[in-house]
Amino acid sequence: MEQTLRSEVLAEAPLEELVQWVGQIEEVAEVTVMKKPELGLVMMRVKESVEEQMFNLGELLITECTVSVDGDLGFSAILGQHEQKGKALAIIDAVLHSPSIKWVDIKIEIEKWLEVKRHQQEFEKKKQFVMMNRTKVNFDVMDE
């Protein structure tokens, strides 16, 4: 799975499920928090739709964390104030980017889990879209 898509799926995953993966990792690895989960701000840039000019929409609150898992670094930055989730995501990131053969089996398991989560999340988004679309008002019909 591509890194960007993987990050999106992990960010939307429930904390309870992430904690299960972290528990498995912490049983067999030395996890060191390099930079504890802390709040920060990032500027959100967007493109205006008519002239396609970029502009700064505003600052977003994020939680960022850096960890080391058996010497391999992991990083996370997640929208909002989520200290536990930020740490969990950083630990999983370290394992997924580790070149060590120690993590081959768990990487395969995580990738399979991520595929299932991706399909579940897509289904939920489509379901929400259908529900919202039912409330759509056709203003052309109202003019008559």
Side-chain angles (χ1 to χ4, degrees):
M1 182 180 293
E2 181 195 54
Q3 174 63 36
T4 304
L5 182 58
R6 181 190 311 155
S7 296
E8 289 176 19
V9 173
L10 282 168
E12 291 181 23
L15 176 61
E16 298 78 30
E17 294 179 31
L18 297 174
V19 168
Q20 292 175 353
W21 290 112
V22 169
Q24 289 182 31
I25 294 166
E26 288 178 330
E27 286 178 6
V28 295
E30 180 183 334
V31 176
T32 307
V33 177
M34 309 295 282
K35 178 181 173 188
K36 67 180 178 65
E38 55 186 42
L39 300 177
L41 294 171
V42 294
M43 183 60 69
M44 181 175 183
R45 294 183 51 93
V46 294
K47 188 183 287 189
E48 184 265 329
S49 61
V50 178
E51 295 182 15
E52 298 189 2
Q53 296 288 326
M54 294 295 289
F55 68 96
N56 295 331
L57 184 63
E59 292 180 321
L60 300 175
L61 180 71
I62 63 166
T63 302
E64 52 189 342
C65 181
T66 305
V67 300
S68 170
V69 178
D70 288 344
D72 297 312
L73 291 179
F75 175 78
S76 73
I78 185 166
L79 191 61
Q81 186 174 353
H82 306 285
E83 288 83 9
Q84 288 180 318
K85 195 169 190 177
K87 181 180 175 187
L89 290 172
I91 292 169
I92 293 170
D93 181 65
V95 169
L96 291 174
H97 286 98
S98 173
S100 173
I101 59 171
K102 173 182 183 178
W103 302 114
V104 170
D105 291 337
I106 199 163
K107 283 182 184 181
I108 292 169
E109 289 179 41
I110 290 174
E111 287 292 336
K112 287 179 185 176
W113 173 76
L114 285 170
E115 273 301 317
V116 171
K117 289 307 294 178
R118 182 177 68 86
H119 290 298
Q120 289 174 349
Q121 290 171 358
E122 284 177 1
F123 176 76
E124 284 299 316
K125 287 177 186 175
K126 287 177 184 176
K127 191 168 100 176
Q128 287 177 352
F129 178 77
V130 168
M131 289 179 68
M132 285 189 307
N133 218 20
R134 288 191 293 178
T135 65
K136 185 176 175 182
V137 177
N138 186 347
F139 287 100
D140 294 333
V141 174
M142 291 180 69
D143 285 341
E144 295 175 357

